[in-house]
C-alpha cells in the first residue's frame, strides 16, 4: 500500500509540475493594465459639432477615428471600448509621452480624394456616407452616397479625362503634404495601417451615387467604408476623465504585488496543512493548479490584468479555500461519528456540495451585477471574479475531490484516518453556544454601534475620492519635497486644493477642486518635472462621470440585494432571504461607518469592495442556513424550544468553519496590505472590515434573526396523542 501511495504522490507532483511548465510560458504574453505597467487612460464623451443628437453610426465612426489615431502611436495592445451611447474609453498601457498621445488621440479625421499627382479633387463633405454593398458578381464593394452632386461630377469628370493608368481617384486618410505621396505609397495603398485607403479607376464623370469595386474581402470593404465615414463625421470629443500612471511606478507595483501574492499562497498552504494534515496539504497544492487555470482562462480571453483584477484573484483564493474547509469539516464530522475513512470521504463530499454551490452562486450574482454596471477597472474585477468562481467549482471541488479520492483508495489511511485529516478520535460533544440567548446582547451592541456610527457619518461624512466628488487627484513623487512647498506651488499655479498629505516613498497626494483639462494637465506635469524632476500621476473626473458612478453604485447594490433575495428564497425560504439581507445590511453599514471614522478614502473600487463583501458575507450565512435546513429536514414537527436548540446546534457546528475560512481569506489580504501596492489598499481594508463583520453577523445575527421570524410558525410544545390519553 505504501509503494502504491508513494507512486501516486510522485505522479501527482509530476502532473502539477508538467502542467506548470506548459502553462507558465503562456503568461509572458499576459497583458497588464496601466496601473501595473504605467500609461494613460482617457474617457471621451462624443457629441455632434452641430449640437444635434448623435446619429446612428456616429459613435462607431468616431471609434474608428480613435482606433486609427491609436495605431499611429505604435502602442502594443491598446484598449478601446465604447461605453453607453456616447462614450469611448481609451487605455494606452506603456505610453510615456502622454502629452503627445493626447494630441494624436484628439486629432480630427480628414478624408480627401486626390489624383495620382496628389492634387486635391474634393474632401469628404461631398460624400454623405459610404456603405458596404455587393456588385453584380456578388462580390463586396463600397457604395458612396453623394451629397454634393455638382462637385462630385466635376471631380470624377476631371479624373476620367486623364490618360489610362492615371485616371485614378486616390482616397487618403489624414493626408500630409511632404509625408504622403501616391508615387511613394501606391504599393501599400489599401493595406492595413496605410493612410492611402484606395485608388479607384474612374472611366467617366458621375453626378450620383457610385460603387467602388475591386478584389475586396468583406472585412476590407467594411473597413474602407468605416474609414471614409470617419472622415466625414461632424463629432467632437470632450475629455470627461483621465488617468496617467508613471511607468516606473507601475513596474514597482507589479513586483510588490507578485511578492505579496506568492508569500500569501505559501502561508495559506502551510495553514491548511496544519489544520487538516494531508488533505489540507493536497488542497493547498491544488491552489497552484487553481491559480494557473484562472490565469490561463484570463490570458485566453485576452484579459488585461489590473490591480482590481488581482484583488478579485485574492478573493477567489479565499473562496477556493472555503470550499476545501467546508468539505474537510464535513469529513471530520463523519469520522467523529465512527465511520471509516472511505465512507466519511464520500459522505463528507456529498453533504458539502449544496453549501459550496449556493455560496458560489450568490457571489456569482454579485459578479454579474458588477460586470453589467461597472466601468473600466470594476468590470475587470468582475470578469476575474467570475473566472475564479468557475475555477473554484472545477479545480477545488471536482479536481480536488478526485485527487483526494485517488489517495484515499490506496488504503494507507484505513487504519489511521487522522493522518489523512485531523479529527477527534474520541467523539467529544461540542460545547453548544446558546446563541439565541445572546441575541438581545448582540442586537444591542450592533444597534449602539450603528446608531452612533450613522450619526457620526451624517455629521462628518465620507472622505470621498475623485470618483465621487469630481475634480483632480495629483500624486507627486520626488526627493526633497514637502507639503508646504507643494501647497505653495499649487497656489502659484492658481489651483484650489481640497486636501494634501504626505505618503510613503516621498509621495505627496493632492486633491484639487479643479477639473484639469489637457492644457492644465500638461502644465502641472511640466511644472513639477522642471522644478523637482518629479514623476506625477494625475487623475481627472468630471461631474458627469461622478453622477453616473453614484447612480450605477446605487443600482448595483439594489440589484445585488434583489438577486440574492430571489435566489435564497428559491433555494431555501423567504424568511432565510430576509435574514440574510438584514445581516448583509449590517455588514455594509459596519464597513461604511469604519471608513467614515478613520477617514479612509472612498473611490470607485470601494463599490466593488462593498459588493464583494455582500457576496462573501452571504457565503458564511449560507453555510449556517444550509446546516439549519439540513437539521430541519431530519426533524419534522418540532416545537419552538426544539427549533431554538436546532438553531443553536447549527451555529455551533459551523462556527469552526466560519473562523477558518475567514482566517484563510485574511492571510493573502493582509499580505497585500503589508507588502503590496497602495493602489488596492481601499479594497483590502474594506475586505478586512467586511470579513470581520461577516463572521460576526453569520455567527451571532443571521441564524438568530431567522429564528425570530420563524418561531411563530412553531408551537410552544408538541404533545403526542398518546401522552394526552394517559392524562
Amino acid at each position: 500500500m505504501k509503494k502504491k501511495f508513494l507512486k501516486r504522490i510522485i505522479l501527482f507532483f509530476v502532473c502539477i509540475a508538467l502542467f506548470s511548465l506548459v502553462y507558465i510560458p503562456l503568461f509572458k504574453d499576459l497583458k497588464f493594465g496601466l496601473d501595473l505597467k504605467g500609461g494613460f487612460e482617457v474617457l471621451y464623451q462624443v457629441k455632434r459639432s452641430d449640437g444635434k443628437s448623435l446619429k446612428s453610426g456616429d459613435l462607431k465612426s468616431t471609434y474608428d477615428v480613435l482606433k486609427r489615431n491609436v495605431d499611429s502611436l505604435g502602442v502594443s495592445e491598446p484598449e478601446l471600448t465604447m461605453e453607453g451611447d456616447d462614450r469611448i474609453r481609451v487605455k494606452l498601457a506603456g505610453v510615456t509621452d502622454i502629452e503627445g498621445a493626447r494630441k494624436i488621440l484628439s486629432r480630427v479625421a480628414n478624408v480627401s480624394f486626390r489624383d495620382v499627382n496628389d492634387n486635391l479633387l474634393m474632401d469628404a463633405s461631398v460624400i454623405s456616407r459610404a456603405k458596404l454593398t455587393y456588385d453584380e458578381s456578388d462580390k463586396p464593394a463600397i457604395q458612396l452616397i453623394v451629397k454634393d452632386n455638382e462637385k462630385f461630377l466635376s471631380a470624377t469628370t476631371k479624373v476620367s479625362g486623364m490618360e489610362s493608368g492615371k485616371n485614378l481617384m486616390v482616397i487618403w486618410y489624414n493626408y500630409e503634404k511632404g509625408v504622403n505621396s501616391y508615387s511613394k505609397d501606391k504599393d501599400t495603398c489599401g493595406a492595413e495601417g496605410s493612410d492611402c485607403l484606395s485608388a479607384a479607376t474612374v472611366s467617366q464623370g458621375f453626378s450620383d451615387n457610385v460603387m467602388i469595386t475591386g478584389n475586396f474581402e468583406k472585412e476590407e470593404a467594411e473597413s474602407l467604408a468605416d474609414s471614409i465615414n470617419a472622415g466625414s463625421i461632424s463629432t467632437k470629443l470632450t475629455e470627461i476623465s483621465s488617468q496617467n500612471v508613471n511607468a516606473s511606478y507601475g513596474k514597482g507595483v507589479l513586483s510588490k504585488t507578485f511578492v505579496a501574492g506568492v508569500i500569501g499562497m505559501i502561508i495559506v498552504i502551510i495553514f491548511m496543512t496544519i489544520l487538516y494534515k494531508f488533505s489540507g496539504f493536497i488542497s493547498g497544492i491544488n491552489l497552484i493548479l487553481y491559480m494557473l487555470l484562472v490565469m490561463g482562462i484570463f490570458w485566453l480571453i485576452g484579459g488585461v490584468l489590473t490591480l482590481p483584477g488581482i484583488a478579485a484573484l485574492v478573493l477567489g483564493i479565499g473562496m477556493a479555500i472555503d470550499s476545501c474547509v467546508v468539505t474537510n469539516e464535513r469529513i471530520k464530522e463523519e469520522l467523529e461519528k465512527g465511520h471509516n475513512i472511505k465512507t466519511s470521504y464520500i459522505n463528507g463530499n456529498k453533504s458539502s456540495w449544496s453549501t459550496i454551490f449556493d455560496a458560489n452562486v450568490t457571489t456569482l450574482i454579485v459578479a454579474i451585477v458588477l460586470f453589467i454596471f461597472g466601468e473600466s477597472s470594476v468590470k475587470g474585477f468582475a470578469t476575474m471574479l467570475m473566472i475564479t468562481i468557475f475555477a473554484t467549482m472545477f479545480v477545488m471541488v471536482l479536481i480536488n475531490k478526485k485527487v483526494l479520492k485517488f489517495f484515499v483508495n490506496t488504503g494507507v489511511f484505513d487504519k489511521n484516518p487522522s493522518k489523512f485529516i485531523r479529527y477527534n478520535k474520541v467523539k467529544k460533544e461540542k460545547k453548544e453556544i446558546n446563541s439565541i440567548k445572546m441575541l438581545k446582547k448582540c442586537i444591542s451592541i450592533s444597534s449602539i454601534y450603528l446608531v452612533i456610527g450613522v450619526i457620526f457619518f451624517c455629521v462628518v461624512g465620507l472622505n470621498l475620492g475623485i470618483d465621487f466628488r469630481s475634480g483632480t487627484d495629483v500624486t507627486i513623487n520626488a526627493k526633497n519635497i514637502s507639503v508646504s512647498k507643494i501647497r505653495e506651488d499649487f497656489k502659484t499655479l492658481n489651483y484650489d486644493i481640497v486636501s494634501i498629505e504626505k505618503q510613503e516613498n516621498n509621495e505627496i497626494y493632492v486633491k484639487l477642486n479643479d477639473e484639469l483639462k489637457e492644457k492644465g494637465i500638461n502644465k502641472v506635469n511640466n511644472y513639477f518635472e522642471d522644478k523637482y524632476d518629479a514623476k506625477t500621476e494625475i487623475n481627472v473626473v468630471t461631474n458627469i462621470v461622478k453622477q453616473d458612478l453614484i447612480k450605477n453604485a446605487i443600482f448595483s447594490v439594489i440589484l445585488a440585494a434583489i438577486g440574492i433575495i430571489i435566489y435564497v428564497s428559491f433555494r431555501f425560504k423567504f424568511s432565510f432571504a430576509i435574514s440574510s439581507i438584514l445581516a448583509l445590511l449590517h455588514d455594509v453599514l459596519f464597513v461604511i461607518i469604519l471608513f467614515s471614522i478613520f477617514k479612509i478614502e472612498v473611490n470607485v473600487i470601494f463599490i466593488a469592495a462593498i459588493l464583494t463583501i455582500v457576496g462573501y458575507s452571504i457565503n458564511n450565512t449560507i453555510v449556517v442556513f444550509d446546516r439549519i435546513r439540513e437539521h430541519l429536514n431530519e426533524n419534522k414537527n418540532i416545537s419552538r424550544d426544539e427549533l431554538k436548540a436546532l438553531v443553536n446546534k447549527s451555529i455551533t457546528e459551523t462556527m469552526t468553519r466560519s473562523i477558518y475560512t475567514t482566517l484563510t481569506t485574511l492571510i493573502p489580504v493582509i499580505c497585500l496590505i503589508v507588502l503590496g501596492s497602495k493602489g488596492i489598499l481601499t479594497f483590502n481594508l474594506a475586505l478586512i472590515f467586511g470579513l470581520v463583520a461577516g463572521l460576526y453577523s453569520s455567527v451571532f445575527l443571521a441564524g438568530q434573526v431567522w429564528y425570530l421570524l420563524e418561531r411563530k410558525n412553531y408551537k410552544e410544545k408538541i404533545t403526542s396523542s398518546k401522552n394526552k390519553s394517559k392524562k
Side-chain angles (χ1 to χ4, degrees):
M1 286 193 295
K2 287 186 178 180
K3 285 185 178 180
K4 187 178 181 182
F5 177 78
L6 286 172
K7 284 180 180 178
R8 294 193 174 189
I9 278 282
I10 293 168
L11 179 61
F12 171 67
F13 278 102
V14 167
C15 288
I16 292 287
L18 288 174
F19 193 78
S20 301
L21 288 172
V22 170
Y23 246 76
I24 289 174
L26 298 177
F27 302 150
K28 66 180 181 181
D29 297 324
L30 189 65
K31 294 183 283 186
F32 295 102
L34 56 91
D35 53 359
L36 292 173
K37 193 176 179 181
F40 173 57
E41 174 182 340
V42 59
L43 179 63
Y44 289 115
Q45 185 174 42
V46 182
K47 293 182 179 179
R48 282 187 65 87
S49 303
D50 55 15
K52 295 179 181 178
S53 299
L54 285 177
K55 294 181 180 179
S56 174
D58 280 351
L59 189 67
K60 175 64 169 62
S61 296
T62 308
Y63 173 90
D64 292 330
V65 172
L66 281 171
K67 190 173 184 306
R68 274 189 166 272
N69 290 346
V70 167
D71 290 343
S72 69
L73 286 168
V75 178
S76 61
E77 299 170 339
E79 286 184 77
L80 282 86
T81 51
M82 291 185 281
E83 297 182 359
D85 298 324
D86 64 345
R87 292 179 192 180
I88 299 173
R89 187 180 299 274
V90 182
K91 293 184 183 181
L92 306 173
V95 165
T96 53
D97 182 9
I98 293 170
E99 187 175 346
R102 251 196 180 92
K103 286 179 180 177
I104 291 174
L105 281 176
S106 58
R107 189 171 63 182
V108 177
N110 181 15
V111 169
S112 58
F113 298 81
R114 299 174 181 271
D115 61 23
V116 292
N117 298 315
D118 305 324
N119 298 311
L120 179 65
L121 298 169
M122 59 183 185
D123 59 29
S125 64
V126 177
I127 306 298
S128 175
R129 63 190 175 93
K131 67 176 184 178
L132 173 69
T133 187
Y134 294 90
D135 61 17
E136 294 176 356
S137 304
D138 204 31
K139 292 181 179 179
I142 298 96
Q143 186 174 25
L144 300 179
I145 310 300
V146 178
K147 182 164 61 175
D148 191 327
N149 302 79
E150 188 175 330
K151 284 185 180 180
F152 192 72
L153 176 62
S154 174
T156 52
T157 300
K158 185 176 180 179
V159 173
S160 65
M162 295 181 180
E163 62 183 271
S164 179
K166 293 187 178 182
N167 57 334
L168 300 174
M169 182 175 283
V170 186
I171 307 175
W172 288 94
Y173 184 91
N174 282 345
Y175 173 87
E176 284 187 58
K177 189 175 181 181
V179 176
N180 301 120
S181 171
Y182 181 70
S183 60
K184 184 180 71 172
D185 298 334
K186 62 182 177 181
D187 292 335
T188 59
C189 192
E192 186 177 352
S194 174
D195 289 333
C196 183
L197 301 179
S198 178
T201 302
V202 181
S203 56
Q204 65 182 74
F206 297 94
S207 62
D208 208 342
N209 301 344
V210 297
M211 186 185 297
I212 300 175
T213 59
N215 295 319
F216 295 119
E217 296 291 333
K218 184 182 177 183
E219 291 76 14
E220 291 175 326
E222 284 179 333
S223 177
L224 177 55
D226 288 341
S227 296
I228 294 171
N229 288 331
S232 59
I233 61 172
S234 55
T235 58
K236 60 180 180 179
L237 299 172
T238 303
E239 192 174 300
I240 57 176
S241 78
S242 66
Q243 178 184 13
N244 69 284
V245 180
N246 186 273
S248 59
Y249 171 80
K251 289 175 183 175
V253 167
L254 183 58
S255 59
K256 281 183 181 180
T257 306
F258 177 76
V259 171
V262 170
I263 292 173
M265 283 277 290
I266 292 170
I267 296 173
V268 166
I269 292 172
I270 293 170
F271 186 73
M272 287 293 289
T273 305
I274 293 170
L275 282 182
Y276 299 114
K277 291 192 174 180
F278 182 79
S279 65
F281 173 71
I282 294 298
S283 298
I285 297 299
N286 275 331
L287 268 180
I288 299 171
L289 183 64
Y290 162 86
M291 288 286 289
L292 290 173
L293 182 64
V294 169
M295 297 306 294
I297 294 172
F298 198 69
W299 171 82
L300 196 62
I301 65 173
V304 178
L305 190 63
T306 61
L307 279 173
I310 291 172
L313 189 58
V314 169
L315 175 63
I317 291 172
M319 292 171 58
I321 288 297
D322 176 50
S323 65
C324 298
V325 171
V326 171
T327 302
N328 283 326
E329 286 297 315
R330 288 288 193 168
I331 294 171
K332 280 173 61 177
E333 289 173 10
E334 293 295 323
L335 285 167
E336 288 168 1
K337 289 176 184 177
H339 296 142
N340 62 43
I341 183 64
K342 290 180 181 176
T343 303
S344 297
Y345 176 78
I346 293 168
N347 292 345
N349 275 280
K350 187 177 179 182
S351 57
S352 65
W353 165 247
S354 63
T355 305
I356 295 168
F357 180 80
D358 288 330
N360 279 276
V361 170
T362 49
T363 308
L364 182 62
I365 290 169
V366 173
I368 291 170
V369 169
L370 274 172
F371 185 81
I372 294 171
F373 289 96
E375 293 181 1
S376 189
S377 58
V378 175
K379 199 178 285 286
F381 170 87
T383 303
M384 179 64 84
L385 188 57
M386 284 189 276
I387 292 172
T388 61
I389 290 168
F390 289 114
T392 294
M393 299 303 288
F394 179 70
V395 176
M396 304 311 291
V397 178
L398 179 62
I399 300 298
N400 195 57
K401 176 183 174 182
K402 298 293 184 185
V403 170
L404 287 175
K405 185 180 179 182
F406 190 60
F407 292 111
V408 168
N409 288 340
T410 61
V412 168
F413 303 105
D414 288 354
K415 291 182 180 179
N416 195 353
S418 62
K419 288 185 178 179
F420 179 78
I421 189 168
R422 188 187 301 278
Y423 76 102
N424 296 316
K425 294 181 182 180
V426 179
K427 187 177 180 182
K428 297 178 182 178
E429 287 295 327
K430 287 184 180 179
K431 189 176 180 181
E432 196 167 285
I433 300 170
N434 194 343
S435 55
I436 301 296
K437 188 177 180 181
M438 297 168 63
L439 180 59
K440 286 185 180 179
K441 288 182 181 179
C442 293
I443 288 179
S444 298
I445 293 169
S446 294
S447 298
I448 291 169
Y449 169 77
L450 292 176
V451 169
I452 294 173
V454 168
I455 292 171
F456 187 90
F457 170 79
C458 292
V459 174
V460 178
L462 290 170
N463 178 18
L464 295 177
I466 186 174
D467 303 306
F468 292 104
R469 62 172 172 79
S470 72
T472 304
D473 286 353
V474 184
T475 303
I476 305 161
N477 189 315
K479 295 178 181 178
N480 302 319
I481 59 171
S482 64
V483 168
S484 57
K485 281 183 180 180
I486 298 299
R487 193 184 297 276
E488 288 300 318
D489 287 328
F490 276 104
K491 281 184 181 178
T492 303
L493 291 168
N494 200 28
Y495 290 128
D496 181 23
I497 295 177
V498 177
S499 66
I500 181 169
E501 59 186 73
K502 186 79 178 278
Q503 296 185 319
E504 58 181 15
N505 301 326
N506 296 315
E507 286 185 351
I508 291 181
Y509 178 57
V510 185
K511 292 182 183 179
L512 303 176
N513 265 327
D514 308 84
E515 297 172 9
L516 298 188
K517 305 299 181 187
E518 181 182 341
K519 288 182 180 178
I521 292 169
N522 294 335
K523 178 182 173 183
V524 170
N525 267 327
N526 295 335
Y527 179 91
F528 288 105
E529 185 176 359
D530 293 341
K531 187 170 182 179
Y532 301 106
D533 192 26
K535 296 167 183 174
T536 56
E537 179 183 341
I538 300 176
N539 303 326
V540 183
V541 172
T542 66
N543 195 51
I544 298 169
V545 176
K546 180 194 80 173
Q547 291 171 353
D548 284 352
L549 282 171
I550 293 171
K551 180 181 70 177
N552 287 344
I554 294 170
F555 272 134
S556 297
V557 173
I558 292 173
L559 278 179
I562 292 171
I564 289 170
I565 288 173
I566 292 171
Y567 183 78
V568 174
S569 298
F570 173 75
R571 288 284 292 168
F572 292 83
K573 197 176 180 182
F574 185 66
S575 57
F576 282 110
I578 296 300
S579 305
S580 65
I581 291 299
L582 289 174
L584 292 180
L585 182 61
H586 165 275
D587 299 343
V588 169
L589 287 174
F590 182 90
V591 174
I592 291 173
I593 289 168
L594 282 178
F595 266 63
S596 177
I597 291 171
F598 292 109
K599 303 299 291 178
I600 302 169
E601 186 175 278
V602 174
N603 52 30
V604 66
I605 199 64
F606 177 76
I607 299 303
I610 289 294
L611 284 172
T612 301
I613 290 163
V614 168
Y616 203 83
S617 294
I618 196 71
N619 279 11
N620 283 338
T621 305
I622 287 292
V623 171
V624 176
F625 287 171
D626 187 70
R627 191 60 67 97
I628 292 173
R629 178 177 61 180
E630 182 182 319
H631 287 320
L632 282 174
N633 291 334
E634 294 170 355
N635 300 277
K636 307 289 185 181
N637 300 320
I638 60 176
S639 68
R640 188 178 298 173
D641 286 341
E642 289 168 329
L643 178 69
K644 185 190 296 184
L646 184 149
V647 172
N648 285 333
K649 181 182 178 184
S650 300
I651 291 170
T652 302
E653 289 174 344
T654 55
M655 183 180 293
T656 302
R657 169 265 161 202
S658 297
I659 293 171
Y660 286 169
T661 296
T662 303
L663 286 174
T664 51
T665 307
L666 280 173
I667 288 168
V669 173
I670 291 171
C671 284
L672 279 176
I673 287 178
V674 176
L675 302 169
S677 164
K678 68 179 180 65
I680 47 174
L681 180 63
T682 296
F683 178 89
N684 289 326
L685 286 175
L687 201 55
I688 286 178
F689 296 155
L691 285 168
V692 173
L695 176 62
Y696 171 78
S697 65
S698 64
V699 173
F700 296 108
L701 292 176
Q704 295 88 324
V705 170
W706 176 83
Y707 167 76
L708 291 180
L709 294 174
E710 280 290 316
R711 65 179 180 176
K712 65 180 182 296
N713 298 323
Y714 293 81
K715 295 179 181 179
E716 287 284 351
K717 188 175 182 182
I718 297 176
T719 307
S720 66
S721 56
K722 190 175 182 181
N723 287 337
K724 284 181 181 179
S725 63
K726 283 182 180 179
K727 288 181 180 179

